[in-house]
């Protein structure tokens, strides 16, 4: 007789434990990425000098952008699941009480209720996918913007580049970009774990 309750409590325990481990992992990843960002920033400073500050300011702006978009996506996804649950519940109520609905001629009212819930669900889906598009676009454009801003700042401040300096800086900037993305996504995931 206690088996269903024990199974439910075990599932809840696994869910809580998984979220705590997930949060710990994401916080560790964010810390690791932060240390890598510091190391790569020092390496970039040795190559580009003060022009590194321009690259770091771009990295900070993109990092903040990634965290905000991840938070927006999590909120929107939560709202989407709540609305989807309400719509499924309305359909279930309609199907279980179909005789009552037919008897009182509530078909149009129930249809309108379900359509309104579906419309709200689609609105949240559109917002979620638009945010995902912004996140993906930002992640794909980030290395180019970071490289262009750092090299343009260096050219403006110091003049021309040597080929070896450009190639080394591109590799350092790529690693800095990867570390910033990792930190942004880890912080975003750690914040949204429930």
């Amino acid at each position: 007789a206690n088996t269903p309750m024990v199974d439910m409590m075990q599932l809840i325990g696994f869910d809580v434990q998984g979220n705590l481990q997930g949060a710990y992992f994401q916080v560790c990843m964010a810390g690791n990425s932060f240390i890598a960002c510091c190391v790569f920033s020092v390496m970039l400073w040795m190559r580009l000098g003060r022009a590194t500050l321009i690259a770091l300011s771009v990295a900070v702006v993109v990092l903040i952008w990634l965290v905000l978009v991840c938070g927006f996506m999590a909120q929107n996804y939560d709202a989407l699941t709540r609305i989807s649950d309400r719509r499924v519940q309305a359909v279930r109520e309609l199907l279980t009480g179909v005789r009552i609905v037919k008897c009182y001629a509530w078909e149009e009212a129930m249809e309108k209720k379900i359509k309104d819930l579906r419309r709200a669900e689609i609105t949240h889906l559109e917002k979620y996918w638009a945010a995902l598009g912004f996140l993906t676009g930002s992640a794909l454009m980030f290395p180019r913007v970071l490289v262009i801003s750092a090299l343009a700042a260096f050219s403006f401040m110091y003049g021309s580049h040597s080929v070896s300096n450009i190639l080394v800086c591109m590799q350092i900037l790529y690693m800095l970009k990867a570390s910033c993305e990792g930190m942004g996504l880890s912080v975003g995931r750690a914040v949204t774990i429930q």
Side-chain angles (χ1 to χ4, degrees):
N2 282 338
T3 305
M5 182 55 118
V6 171
D7 290 342
M8 182 60 75
M9 294 306 289
Q10 192 174 21
L11 286 173
I12 291 171
F14 287 152
D15 190 35
V16 169
Q17 182 182 7
N19 282 338
L20 288 176
Q21 286 176 342
Y24 176 73
F25 177 76
Q26 295 302 332
V27 168
C28 290
M29 287 296 293
N32 187 26
S33 296
F34 178 75
I35 292 169
C37 284
C38 293
V39 168
F40 292 127
S41 297
V42 168
M43 291 172 67
L44 196 61
W45 183 272
M46 293 166 64
R47 282 294 199 177
L48 295 180
R50 291 182 309 212
T52 305
L53 296 176
I54 302 297
L56 290 179
S57 64
V58 169
V60 167
V61 168
V62 171
L63 179 66
I64 291 170
W65 171 255
L66 290 175
V67 169
L68 291 175
V69 171
C70 285
F72 174 76
M73 286 175 62
Q75 288 176 350
N76 205 10
Y77 188 75
D78 287 344
L80 175 67
T81 55
R82 282 193 303 275
I83 289 173
S84 296
D85 290 344
R86 286 189 11 223
R87 183 179 59 84
V88 168
Q89 181 183 6
V91 170
R92 188 175 298 135
E93 287 173 2
L94 173 67
L95 294 176
T96 56
V98 72
R99 288 184 182 172
I100 295 171
V101 170
K102 290 279 189 188
C103 181
Y104 289 107
W106 289 341
E107 294 96 348
E108 290 179 16
M110 290 302 287
E111 182 182 6
K112 182 183 180 312
K113 179 181 178 181
I114 291 171
K115 280 184 179 179
D116 289 344
L117 288 170
R118 181 63 182 159
R119 208 172 294 121
E121 187 178 6
I122 288 173
T123 301
H124 282 288
L125 273 172
E126 289 172 348
K127 288 179 185 177
Y128 178 81
W129 287 106
L132 185 62
F134 282 122
L135 182 69
T136 304
S138 300
L140 291 175
M141 290 303 297
F142 183 45
R144 291 163 186 85
V145 172
L146 191 64
V147 169
I148 288 170
S149 65
L151 295 179
F154 184 82
S155 293
F156 180 74
M157 294 172 135
Y158 304 113
S160 63
H161 301 283
S162 68
V163 174
S164 64
N165 199 28
I166 291 174
L167 293 175
V168 169
C169 289
M170 300 252 313
Q171 293 300 316
I172 294 172
L173 286 168
Y174 178 77
M175 295 307 295
L176 179 63
K177 182 246 1 157
S179 298
C180 287
E181 281 179 350
M183 186 165 53
L185 293 175
S186 295
V187 169
R189 288 179 187 142
V191 167
T192 60
I193 289 178
Q194 297 182 4

